[in-house]
């Protein structure tokens, strides 16, 4: 998937590059830099001069942004090693001005209550590293926002080996968090009438049940399905997150039927249940900036309006960490959950274990949070664990993750708020009567 | 103008209000608040509870934003006195947490260089007043961004008498500055094929040469004219700033001809000059967040592409503060600028005075900046003072401001950067040969 | 109104003319024709050569259409006298080929039943005057369809004095009837978000209650109003017919209230009645090609879907010929309709007369058809005469036409078909109980 | 291909059917007809009653069109045998009214010159079979135009075995010819940003070089390619005809390179030649209604504007009938074209034969027309035979049709008109110097 995404991205860049060249300033000393993918000491010196030039706006803000375009173009021509050097220049040279901040903090501490408020502005300003301006300036470019999102993706990756980049990544996250606030995003439906350019990205970005080919995709966009995504207005061709929904009669118990291209179309007028069977974040560079909970709730509202006959909104979700967890526990604990008459690791036993895992196991860091990440996502959004399904995902991935089991999480609008509260404050997990019974036997 | 703008705004609000009610949460204790336009102590208590509820997100972020919608709706129902109270609640109760900030500043000061970077995040976080979250939450609503822009307009107005509101206004400005960064805006052409809803706003917002009626407007959008504006993607029906351009042969010397509805259409293929004869900021709530310089330069680029025969880009601009300045100077100074043979305040003398005023008079606060605000705007964008025009705006306003005189500022792309630099660093004003001569006689 | 329409049209033409010149062929002998607005004999000879060239397609159909463009451009430069000559050339020279048609008719008559069908094609072909091809060829041009519609408008006007043009007008009508078949048209809503270019045309084309200015127009497009129009896909900026609807509580009894710009907005959620208070044909060149009945019924369907609470669909219609009819009848007849105790021409008497006129008076040409044209239109569409309203249109026009009276025609979906049938076959007029009572007293 | 097209069509129908049911009238006696796919005598009687009802509009035209919708829906439920019966009802029962036509023809013949024109209208009217109205009425339905286009496709197919259907097919062709006049069509670019729904149809409809899959399609829509199609405004999702163009340096000599998905992107700024390498009619139901010549010339204009550096516009075309022709000629003729030293059927000999075939062989029916249909198409559009290419299409189809050879036809704008004329009047074939030399050796 990442490979295809990369390929798409580089195509896009290729298309834009001539234009970028165009918007950058004419008297272009960077141009003289050989466009070798690695940087040597001399190159770095030139780059620093350019970065300085972007940050001073003696010649006007418009020109400064033009220079930022040139820098961006240069960055795109570098290989990974070159990019680490480029980013390190930004990370190492344009930090917070410590002397200024020292003065500001001391002034604030020394002030009395009445004066403090007016000193906070300088404190805030002193805390802003100069490179924030440089990062911001990239946004005016064609595809500039996508450029920054992808730069953060790289920072997240590179930061593991180059800790000096971490503060730069944090700065970029702050910038992107402001711009990608959920209130600025637009929810749009994606269907077979969407552009091939966009649909191709669904194939690339789908993270739960891989889309095999265009026929598989078409099946998922048929008239008994819905797909919705959030978009940022400055990245109109790039979904940020998308969810795939099947309109069915009764609660879907396995993903094989949903993805069967030869299955007949559902009669949509008989559907009573909306099954959210896949939700994928599409932009690795937006990690940690969440909008999944907003997307689910807006989709529920939208579907309620379009299909007044729907009575249930539920997911069909993987249990990604079940088998990993199973490997970590000892036989004793496992046996303790073994009912009389059940063979160890029999289907019945496995289901019992899975229900225990979902309902009882917690994160070490936070005893209120379910250990399974998908369970935690839906529980923290106010869903209830509704049903465990055996042989629900018989793909290799499904077997490997959870022995083929999947869960339905049920979203019941009137209870969502109280469940979120119970879960976030007390770690209480909402369970259907059936699950509760299974858990307690 | 403001009156019409208000009327439009209230129409819009009226249209949205039923919907807002809809998106707010159902169990709505605020609803019980009588919708009286003033607030009493009891109301304030209820409001504080609601504000608290928005800031804690125990019940989930989605619900919290729903509550913010309810608050926003309530705010719209208040009169000015009520709004002052409402805003004062936000300004007085959700300030920076001083104890936390004290700890953070001390920790940072005590840390050694290596540790400081990691402590900056907490310092930044502690500096963020809780009300920022509340302000942000309004954005998800329909017209939420416009709501915030207008809230800032009110804060700017009310802040003069209620200084406690100033820090809230500053917070809001920071938020809006991030969202209205020029790189996130879209430039669009406005013409007679635009919607009446949008065009009506040009009439309301035009700040330089008032648009008398729809015929006047139509004349300004005819085939020998162009109008461009910046838009924010979340406020698609609201121009942020717009500029009106006439395509003419030779440099326009007065605004009467440009605005004459009975004048024949120019043969656009003969035009060699683009005259920017009006530029208006449309959103008082975005005061201090500038994009005028970007708009002019983007428009120049756009026009160069569309009309390759254009050789000059110039303004026909008012001199808004000339007469006010004239009133302040003493006869002695005035006489010093009087050539032999010229009668005091004769046309020749007035022109000489105006050229002196534009080219030599500086702001007290900054000796590099021209005293006239329009002159300062164009000079700081790299324009040159090209020509002074007598009887160029014979409207009451024109006579009153500048004795009917106007200026052409000329934008010459190759010189823009150096002129910006010379002006910003040395206060050097670029002058045409003719003006220079007039200035030195 | 016609004046404004003309002005708009000529503006459009002006905008297109440079382009037309462009699409016409390069080696352009017509260009040599001085563009004088009148034609002399020599010009006519050149034109005939050109028309011949369009009809032979030796050099290809694409080139022939290019020549038609040139002819069209030339036509637009002519004054009325010139146009009569131009059109007369087409009318007189490119008629049905009589010898060919003679042969074809004789062949058909001589053939036996089995052969006749195969001879019909030639008969049809022989009946097609060559100029049909020329007319068709204009359509490929920008605004070509509008050009033809307007040419027919002129033919209708000029045909009164120049009967030789009548067959040409009939040919054009046949062509336009095929292209403007109602199934090819699109119904669209017009509102304040429509383009000024389109809205301006509503002001120009409104034929029932003149639109005074943009404020009047805006009031008619407010949130308690609806306006719908038919459009042809090749004339996207030109409405063909449009209807204005008010959503009100109870059946509107006068037009003054509907058009009162100061009246408060109706609460649309309380509206139970849709009042069609104005329906205007916008293209004089499409006279005799009707789509009014289709528009009304599609609008009813649309409104039913959008506002499920609507229970009545009615018009508030003028009685355009009442006073003219009143002038024609003699006192005796008038007195016969005078009840005891009623003063002649008292309000009560006038209403009695109007009800009689609407319900009983028939066209001389067709005794099934109501004499009043508006009454005939609605009755033939299946409406019922519901109520007569006194002082319902107090404008000069309203007083002059019908002493200020107006009628509500009621459309009741379940009865429409049978009423159409009763009216068209028996001339039976559907009446409300109240009207029936008034009629029979 | 046809299979996929059918499948797409039936999907579309399925989607629309519920809606059709909705627009048809409520009191629906047809509904009682069991929806068996065959018709019995009783069914036919019911259908005739319905057809009669559509043709009389006693109950109004709107209702009549509603009934036509019901008929259309019924038709779609029938199998081929049923459809033959349905269409035969229309073909046999709603013919021209012979007695009326007899009277009209006699009247016309008997009239003197002055009267004849006024009698032509009745003659024309009498020649119109009543079923024309029925056919027209289908167009108001959703997808009604596509319904008629597909009905003609079936009539063309069924007409071979059921000659009674031929006149109905001819009527439908007349109707469609008027509606699909080239001046009413819109040319649009198709690219990777087009909807998947539309792109899928390119795969289905491509008739020259089959599109293997979505990757093949994407390659044909890459940035060094262009694809244009004509659309009818009432069939926005259905291309009528489309052409695929490659922008290359030098004249492309084989199709393998053009279709090679692994080939690098061409640098479009270096391209000097536009190669039209595939042109496909997409609607079998529009057979005989031509727009290919218009499409090519509009595309040339469009490309000239977008890429001013283009100097040549040429095709890379198949020679579909070469091998078929080769099979028909006798050895003697073949040998006559054999130069000394050339082996029979050697590559050199085959090329000589092909050039002879293209340049000299004529249709039996028309000695001015080239025998090869593709050659005839381009020659009649004013192109020149520029070059023969060996091993230019090595697909099975290419080998089978023309031993792998293809031709470049060159469109030179200044010569197009004269070449069309020479070809259409004298059968003169335009040849490049090289081809001329090869032909004459």
């Amino acid at each position: 998937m990442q490979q295809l995404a990369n390929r798409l991205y580089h195509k896009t860049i290729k298309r834009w590059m001539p234009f970028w060249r165009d918007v950058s300033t004419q008297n272009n000393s960077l141009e003289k830099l050989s466009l070798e993918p690695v940087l040597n000491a001399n190159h770095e010196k030139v780059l620093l001069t350019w970065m300085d030039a972007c940050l001073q706006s003696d010649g006007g803000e418009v020109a400064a942004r033009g220079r930022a375009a040139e820098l961006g173009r240069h960055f795109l021509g570098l290989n990974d090693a070159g990019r680490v050097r480029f980013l390190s220049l930004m990370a190492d040279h344009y930090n917070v001005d410590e002397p200024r901040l020292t003065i500001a903090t001391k002034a604030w501490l020394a002030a009395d209550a009445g004066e403090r408020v007016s000193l906070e502005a300088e404190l805030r300003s002193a805390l802003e590293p100069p490179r924030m301006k440089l990062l911001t300036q990239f946004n005016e470019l064609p595809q500039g926002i996508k450029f920054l999102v992808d730069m953060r993706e790289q920072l997240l990756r590179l930061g593991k080996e180059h800790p000096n980049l971490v503060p730069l990544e944090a700065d970029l996250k702050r910038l992107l968090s402001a711009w990608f606030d959920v209130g600025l995003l637009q929810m749009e439906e994606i269907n077979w009438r969407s552009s091939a350019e966009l649909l191709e990205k669904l194939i690339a970005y789908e993270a739960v049940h891989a889309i095999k080919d265009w026929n598989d995709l078409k099946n998922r966009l048929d008239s008994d399905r819905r797909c919705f995504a959030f978009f940022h207005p400055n990245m109109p061709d790039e979904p940020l997150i998308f969810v795939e929904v099947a309109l069915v009669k009764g609660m879907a118990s396995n993903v094989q039927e949903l993805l069967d291209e030869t299955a007949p179309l559902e009669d949509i007028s008989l559907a009573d249940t909306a099954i959210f069977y896949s939700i994928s974040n599409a932009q690795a560079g937006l990690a940690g900036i969440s909008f999944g909970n907003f997307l689910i709730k807006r989709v529920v509202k939208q579907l309620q309006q379009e299909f007044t006959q729907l009575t249930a909104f539920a997911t069909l979700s993987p249990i990604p960490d079940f088998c990993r967890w199973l490997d970590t526990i000892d036989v004793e604990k496992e046996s303790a959950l073994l009912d009389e008459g059940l063979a160890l690791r029999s289907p019945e036993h496995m289901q019992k274990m899975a229900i225990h895992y979902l309902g009882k196991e917690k994160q070490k860091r936070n005893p209120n949070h379910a250990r399974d990440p998908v369970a935690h996502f839906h529980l923290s959004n106010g869903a209830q664990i509704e049903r465990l399904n055996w042989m629900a995902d018989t793909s290799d991935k499904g077997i490997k993750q959870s022995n083929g089991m999947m869960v339905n999480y049920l979203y019941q609008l009137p209870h969502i708020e109280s469940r979120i509260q119970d879960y976030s404050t007390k770690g209480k997990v909402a369970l259907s009567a059936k699950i509760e019974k299974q858990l307690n036997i």
Side-chain angles (χ1 to χ4, degrees), chain A residues 156-432:
Chain A
L156 284 167
R157 191 163 36 81
L158 299 169
K160 288 168 194 160
E161 291 188 19
H162 304 276
N164 67 316
L165 299 179
V166 172
L168 177 60
E169 183 276 315
D171 290 342
L172 190 44
K173 184 180 178 186
R174 268 189 299 134
L175 194 62
L176 295 177
S177 295
W179 290 344
F180 285 84
D181 186 277
V182 71
L184 302 171
L185 307 182
Q186 286 152 2
M187 189 177 86
E188 280 173 37
E189 193 181 335
I190 297 179
N191 55 38
W192 196 238
R193 286 174 293 291
S194 301
S195 79
E197 188 170 35
L198 173 57
L199 294 182
E200 180 180 48
K201 284 170 188 161
L202 293 199
I203 300 181
Y205 294 148
E206 163 71 52
V208 185
H209 305 291
I211 302 176
K212 289 200 307 283
D213 53 27
W214 286 84
N215 289 332
D216 185 0
L217 176 64
K218 192 180 177 188
N219 182 50
R220 299 191 193 198
L221 300 173
D222 218 330
S223 60
D224 58 347
R225 303 295 171 92
R226 288 297 180 274
C227 179
F228 295 93
F230 273 146
F231 288 88
H232 189 276
N234 296 74
M235 271 169 59
D237 299 325
E238 285 283 343
L240 307 183
I241 186 173
F242 59 95
V243 61
E244 299 163 46
V245 186
L247 301 167
V248 294
K249 190 153 173 51
M251 197 167 295
S253 66
N254 72 79
V255 83
Q256 288 85 240
E257 280 177 27
L258 293 180
L259 299 183
D260 179 5
E261 296 165 30
T262 65
L265 264 183
E266 295 281 330
D267 182 346
I268 209 169
S269 67
L270 302 178
D272 55 12
T273 306
I275 293 290
F276 294 64
Y277 66 96
S278 180
I279 181 160
S280 302
N281 283 297
Q283 308 290 332
L286 295 177
I289 303 170
S290 74
F291 9 72
N293 46 350
F294 285 93
L295 180 59
I296 289 179
K297 275 146 211 177
R298 282 211 210 154
V299 169
V300 167
K301 284 215 166 178
Q302 177 96 359
L303 292 173
Q304 278 182 318
Q305 279 174 12
E306 199 183 347
F307 304 100
T308 47
Q309 80 273 22
L310 291 179
T311 55
F313 297 89
T315 74
L316 180 62
S317 301
I319 317 172
D321 276 358
F322 173 65
C323 288
R324 220 170 313 176
W325 166 78
L326 205 58
D327 288 347
T328 64
I329 64 171
D330 53 27
V331 177
E332 212 162 317
K333 182 167 183 182
E334 201 170 337
S335 302
L337 286 159
L338 187 63
D339 294 332
E340 246 176 286
L342 279 187
L344 199 68
R345 304 241 164 160
S346 65
E348 292 74 14
H349 182 222
M350 291 301 277
Q351 291 180 60
K352 205 170 163 55
M353 293 294 289
I355 289 170
H356 166 86
Y357 166 72
L358 292 167
K360 298 269 168 110
E361 292 292 322
K362 302 294 185 178
Q363 291 178 22
K364 277 181 197 135
R365 292 180 316 182
N366 188 330
N368 280 346
H369 290 186
R371 181 184 158 133
D372 191 76
V374 170
H376 172 62
F377 175 74
H378 291 299
L379 293 170
S380 68
N381 288 335
Q384 160 174 293
I385 302 181
E386 183 64 14
R387 191 174 72 185
L388 187 79
N389 301 288
W390 183 251
M391 287 294 105
D393 178 2
T394 55
S395 71
D396 287 353
K397 186 179 168 192
I399 296 294
K400 199 175 149 202
Q401 283 185 345
S402 57
N403 238 27
M405 290 180 282
M406 298 186 84
V407 204
N408 298 118
Y409 296 101
L410 182 67
Y411 280 87
Q412 292 172 297
L413 293 187
H415 304 301
I416 281 181
E417 268 204 63
S418 61
R419 283 177 184 161
I420 291 175
Q421 200 157 14
D422 288 351
Y423 181 74
S424 71
T425 58
K426 296 177 251 166
K428 193 182 161 211
V429 173
L431 305 168
S432 68

